[in-house]
Amino acid sequence: MKHHAISVQDLNLYYGDKHALKDIKIDIEEKSVTALIGPSGCGKSTFLRTLNRMNDLISGVKISGVINVHDQNIYDNEVEVEMLRKQIGMVFQAPNPFPKSIYDNVAYGPRIHGMRNKNELDQIVEKSLRGAALWDEVKDRLKDRATGLSGGQQQRLCIARALAVEPEILLMDEPTSALDPISTAKIEELVQELKQNYTIVIVTHNMQQAARISDKTAFFLNGDLIEYNDTDTLFSNPEDQKTEDYITGRFG
């Protein structure tokens, strides 16, 4: 029996007057891949960002409801957001390496959290780059600037950077939308490997991708969670007509 890594109850989010997420209830299983699908502006990226409180950075956002990670509501006042974001990593749509060396990109998080021992940093950097399936391609050029890598390599570097602080949960916001098909395939393969050790929640516009890599899929529309089920079931036998219309391309 899989345990729930994240349990969301009665989540509502407003941008000013706009009701962007409406009474969301969802349990996300640990060490699995959950895909969030739906047309642009339907709330899926907003929902993803509530899971590590990235929306806190936006003015005028009001959030109510409960998001439990390990039975603690991450919106409780005593939660330290820095520690929360260490536990719940984020990979964005466009690769965003820091203008530093490959090594320094991966070592950045551990250093912020007080790691100074060079041997330990070396081990973390290697382990994280191996975890992101990038080590063999960059091991001889760790001092080179990360911005010299290809787009697909930069995105895997950003995954390595997220892994370096040993999160339990990895959030991915359309991580392959800026990449070519070969790089996309590598990241998809990587996601399958990472779920052995991490809980992954991924926003994707690509329904074939959701079908290929996720265990469960949640379909969002206009701020509502319309349907949430095992991916195979949701795509082959959706319960809601709106889900069927979306996955068969009638809208969106």
Side-chain angles (χ1 to χ4, degrees), residues 18-68:
K18 182 180 188 309
H19 197 178
L21 292 173
K22 304 166 188 168
D23 295 322
I24 306 297
K25 294 180 189 58
I26 187 170
D27 290 322
I28 292 171
E29 289 176 356
E30 69 174 11
K31 295 189 180 168
S32 66
V33 180
T34 302
L36 311 178
I37 64 168
S40 292
C42 67
K44 56 193 186 300
S45 288
T46 299
F47 172 69
L48 190 75
R49 288 196 299 267
T50 63
L51 300 179
N52 71 346
R53 294 187 48 174
M54 293 291 279
N55 293 311
D56 291 18
L57 306 169
I58 302 167
S59 63
V61 167
K62 289 201 296 292
I63 296 174
S64 64
V66 173
I67 299 179
N68 281 327

Side-chain angles (χ1 to χ4, degrees), residues 44-45 92-93 155 172-178 202-205:
K44 56 193 186 300
S45 288
F92 297 93
Q93 186 168 358
Q155 192 61 299
M172 300 183 151
D173 195 356
E174 295 189 53
T176 61
S177 65
I202 183 167
V203 168
T204 178
H205 263 299

Side-chain angles (χ1 to χ4, degrees), residues 50-116:
T50 63
L51 300 179
N52 71 346
R53 294 187 48 174
M54 293 291 279
N55 293 311
D56 291 18
L57 306 169
I58 302 167
S59 63
V61 167
K62 289 201 296 292
I63 296 174
S64 64
V66 173
I67 299 179
N68 281 327
V69 176
H70 297 311
D71 302 320
Q72 176 170 39
N73 181 11
I74 64 171
Y75 283 89
D76 281 350
N77 290 335
E78 66 267 21
V79 168
E80 285 183 39
V81 176
E82 281 304 308
M83 292 313 290
L84 175 74
R85 296 201 184 121
K86 182 173 185 283
Q87 185 185 5
I88 306 178
M90 183 94 170
V91 176
F92 297 93
Q93 186 168 358
N96 58 344
F98 303 133
K100 301 169 182 285
S101 71
I102 293 168
Y103 184 100
D104 287 342
N105 263 272
V106 184
Y108 181 84
R111 281 177 176 149
I112 281 189
H113 292 287
M115 168 76 64
R116 292 285 173 269

Side-chain angles (χ1 to χ4, degrees), residues 179-246:
L179 303 181
D180 62 90
I182 291 171
S183 299
T184 296
K186 279 190 175 158
I187 300 248
E188 289 185 5
E189 205 175 303
L190 177 57
V191 166
Q192 292 297 294
E193 287 165 27
L194 289 173
K195 78 169 182 184
Q196 315 298 322
N197 298 308
Y198 304 93
T199 301
I200 297 173
V201 186
I202 183 167
V203 168
T204 178
H205 263 299
N206 179 331
M207 281 181 282
Q208 288 78 19
Q209 181 174 74
R212 281 193 298 267
I213 66 172
S214 69
D215 301 291
K216 290 193 139 181
T217 297
F219 170 54
F220 283 80
L221 184 64
N222 300 331
D224 289 305
L225 175 56
I226 303 292
E227 188 165 344
Y228 176 52
N229 212 330
D230 292 336
T231 295
D232 293 346
T233 309
L234 185 131
F235 279 103
S236 61
N237 191 14
E239 290 170 8
D240 193 293
Q241 185 63 44
K242 293 186 195 112
T243 312
E244 175 144 336
D245 287 348
Y246 181 67

Side-chain angles (χ1 to χ4, degrees), residues 138-169:
V138 302
K139 64 175 186 277
D140 300 324
R141 45 197 272 222
L142 295 175
K143 293 190 169 69
D144 293 1
R145 277 172 85 85
T147 44
L149 295 171
S150 72
Q153 288 173 323
Q154 287 187 19
Q155 192 61 299
R156 279 181 285 148
L157 178 68
C158 292
I159 293 170
R161 192 173 68 195
L163 297 181
V165 293
E166 302 188 325
E168 293 167 39
I169 298 167

